[in-house]
Amino acid sequence: KQMSTKTTFKRVALVAVAALGFGMLSVVPSSATHLFQADSLSLSASASSTTVGTATTITATQTFLAGGTLETMTVTSSFTSVPSGATIAELPTPTFSSGSNSFASFSTKVVNVGAAAVSLGVSNTSTMTFTPTKVGTYVIKFTPEAATPADVINSTAQTWTVTVTAAGTSSALFSTSVISPGLTSGSSDATIYTPLTVGSSAATILVTPLTSTGSAISVAEALTATITGPGNLGIGGSAGAAATGRSITGTAGNYYVSVWADGTAGTSTVKISSGSLVLGTETLYFTGPAASVTSALAIPVINSGSGATAVGAVTAVVKDAAGNGVSGVTLYAVSGTSTVIASATATSGSAGTATFNLQGLTAGTSAITVQNVAAGSTATYSAPAVTVRAGSNAASSVTMTLDKATYAPGELATVTVMIKDAAGNAVVDGTYAAFAAAVTSTRALSAGTLPTASLSTGSSTGTLTFKVNAPVTAGDFVISALGGSTLAAAQAGLAISATGTVVLSTETLDAIAAAADAAAEATDAANAATDAANAAAEAADAATAAAQDAADAVASLSAQVATLISGLKAQLTALTNLVIKIQKKVKA
């Protein structure tokens, strides 16, 4: 049957639509989203450290399998965290190791070999440079992307954390030296006492910033210095920079911080920083006029008559009203008896300390008073007098004593040796041949060291002490030696000794007595036991004899009974025979 034209057109349209639909299904994979194969993104490091202004680098590597006529992937960098004040301009700048592609992207295409298309493994590396401008932590994210937004990738984003410190410094790696006025070098972390005279130089603080490894920095630092308390500051390339303020920032590379007095007394603290990093602090004391002085006796006995000087025999400290030491003050050690010891002067130094060297003239003693004026003037302030004796260095005699007469076994004992001059006073400080040989003991000491032949009287009183331990058993012990060549002829070579006794304690003696009593009681008990044993033995002997007598009696009685029984048996036998005869006769 022939179809109408209208119906024919309808059927043709349906077939065309169906064919078109199948055709579209068959071409979707080649015209829809592209899927990258085996793609990856890696960084050469996940974290780095550097300093402000110093570049650091990282390498980003992107790979994938090419599969089309032209395929492109990109890497984009972005900040996810930055210190305050950082700018977008700090983002890493790439330098490609292959090709001349634009930033963070590269492309590849299939190479045809004959009629066949071959998939190639594609790899590209970029070295990226980052130069931070702020101290702190940066986190930079590297994100892989396809050039066509609809395309699908497998690789994931990577992050790079960069820790940034101040240019070459750290809080633990720096040094400071304080240079006092008039000096060219100083000591680390010194405390300076300085007059309050307006415009006077108090100190110069030399700062040496270091790298994280302790070496000199490669980038010059600009120091900031702030003072709390009296004073003004200056920063320069050498000591003595003029004062410009109380909180100042110097030129990079200038590491001398000068401190100047402003006429006010008190304590000041200088804080030195590099950017936000505090390098350290130093303390200074601006002192007012001297108001008081104290003194102390360092050498109580000095030599006399030889022109020798006892260095540092008396020390003193001069302070202002606030109790801070005052340097540069002239002090006088006034001798009460100038014919025995001469007066002396000294100038206070750091922290207001001063030392006096005294000269002995003749043997005797003198009261030494430290004050602000010489003898004959009225002192504004002075220290209580100390007594110094001018003695002799000519030894005449030596004594040796023990600190106790009796000791417990092994108890600590003190041996005292005193060397005296002809007047019976302790000799001055020096070395003396007090004994001809080392001191010995008649019984072994349990520990300690006895005096040697040559002795140095460092105590400056001619007296030395030695610690030993007494013997461990009871009895007397004698320590002794012969007098040495230093002594006067009357004592040189003579025996010098000291005697001690080791005794047992009451508790020990009681214990010994108790032990003796117990031993005696034990002996008595043993004797009693012996007597009892002897009595028992005698009783046993008597019992044995009685038993023997009884045995003998029993034996004798037994013999008698046996005899009687034997006779009775004979009689019975005769009687039996008689009865038999009678029976025979009766039968007959």
Side-chain angles (χ1 to χ4, degrees), residues 212-233:
S212 58
T213 59
S215 59
I217 62 171
S218 58
V219 179
E221 293 289 317
L223 299 181
T224 297
T226 302
I227 188 169
T228 56
N232 293 299
L233 302 174

Side-chain angles (χ1 to χ4, degrees), residues 457-504:
T457 58
S459 64
S460 300
T461 61
T463 304
L464 300 98
T465 58
F466 301 84
K467 299 294 184 180
V468 297
N469 288 82
V472 296
T473 57
D476 293 339
F477 66 97
V478 180
I479 58 172
S480 63
L482 298 179
S485 59
T486 296
L487 306 180
Q491 197 176 21
L494 296 180
I496 301 165
S497 64
T499 301
T501 303
V502 177
V503 298
L504 301 177

Side-chain angles (χ1 to χ4, degrees), residues 49-57 129-133 162 164-168 218-219:
S49 60
T50 187
T51 59
V52 171
T54 302
T56 183
T57 60
T129 302
F130 172 51
T131 305
T133 62
V162 181
V164 182
T165 58
S218 58
V219 179

Side-chain angles (χ1 to χ4, degrees), residues 61-103:
T61 301
Q62 194 171 34
T63 63
F64 62 90
L65 291 177
T69 58
L70 181 63
E71 295 171 335
T72 302
M73 291 185 69
T74 65
V75 177
T76 302
S77 61
S78 61
F79 288 123
T80 62
S81 178
V82 296
S84 175
T87 65
I88 195 69
E90 296 176 83
L91 275 171
T93 302
T95 300
F96 287 94
S97 58
S98 62
S100 57
N101 304 292
S102 60
F103 168 64

Side-chain angles (χ1 to χ4, degrees), residues 75-174:
V75 177
T76 302
S77 61
S78 61
F79 288 123
T80 62
S81 178
V82 296
S84 175
T87 65
I88 195 69
E90 296 176 83
L91 275 171
T93 302
T95 300
F96 287 94
S97 58
S98 62
S100 57
N101 304 292
S102 60
F103 168 64
S105 69
F106 57 87
S107 63
T108 186
K109 55 186 174 183
V110 174
V111 177
N112 292 314
V113 180
V118 181
S119 295
L120 301 178
V122 179
S123 176
N124 196 54
T125 301
S126 300
T127 300
M128 304 185 184
T129 302
F130 172 51
T131 305
T133 62
K134 301 295 179 183
V135 172
T137 300
Y138 294 79
V139 179
I140 303 171
K141 181 179 181 182
F142 295 88
T143 305
E145 297 174 349
T148 303
D151 290 344
V152 178
I153 63 175
N154 295 305
S155 52
T156 59
Q158 305 294 316
T159 59
W160 180 32
T161 301
V162 181
T163 303
V164 182
T165 58
T169 65
S170 73
S171 59
L173 293 170
F174 73 95

Side-chain angles (χ1 to χ4, degrees), residues 510-559:
D510 290 344
I512 293 175
D517 292 343
E521 292 176 358
T523 300
D524 292 343
N527 292 333
T530 301
D531 293 342
N534 290 335
E538 292 174 355
D541 290 342
T544 300
Q548 186 63 47
D549 292 343
D552 292 343
V554 169
S556 177
L557 179 61
S558 176

Side-chain angles (χ1 to χ4, degrees), residues 272-488:
I272 303 171
S273 307
S274 174
S276 60
L277 185 65
V278 177
L279 299 182
T281 59
E282 300 292 349
T283 302
L284 296 92
Y285 300 89
F286 289 95
T287 54
S292 64
V293 65
T294 58
S295 65
L297 184 60
I299 304 177
V301 181
I302 66 174
N303 199 4
S304 66
S306 65
T309 298
V311 177
V314 174
T315 62
V317 179
V318 59
K319 298 180 180 180
D320 65 6
N324 294 323
V326 183
S327 60
V329 177
T330 299
L331 296 172
Y332 299 84
V334 177
S335 174
T337 309
S338 58
T339 57
V340 173
I341 298 175
S343 297
T345 61
T347 301
S348 63
S350 176
T353 59
T355 59
F356 295 91
N357 305 327
L358 299 182
Q359 181 181 5
L361 303 176
T362 60
T365 60
S366 179
I368 306 298
T369 303
V370 177
Q371 57 190 37
N372 69 315
V373 292
S377 301
T378 302
T380 305
Y381 54 86
S382 61
V386 295
T387 299
V388 180
R389 183 170 65 83
S392 172
N393 61 355
S396 176
S397 64
V398 62
T399 59
M400 183 165 52
T401 59
L402 285 164
D403 61 326
K404 294 172 59 177
T406 59
Y407 299 90
E411 183 181 355
L412 184 67
T414 301
V415 180
T416 301
V417 176
M418 179 173 287
I419 306 172
K420 299 179 180 181
D421 61 17
N425 296 317
V427 294
V428 300
D429 186 19
T431 300
Y432 300 88
F435 302 108
V439 175
T440 60
S441 174
T442 55
R443 297 177 59 212
L445 302 174
S446 56
T449 302
L450 287 169
T452 57
S454 180
L455 300 176
S456 295
T457 58
S459 64
S460 300
T461 61
T463 304
L464 300 98
T465 58
F466 301 84
K467 299 294 184 180
V468 297
N469 288 82
V472 296
T473 57
D476 293 339
F477 66 97
V478 180
I479 58 172
S480 63
L482 298 179
S485 59
T486 296
L487 306 180

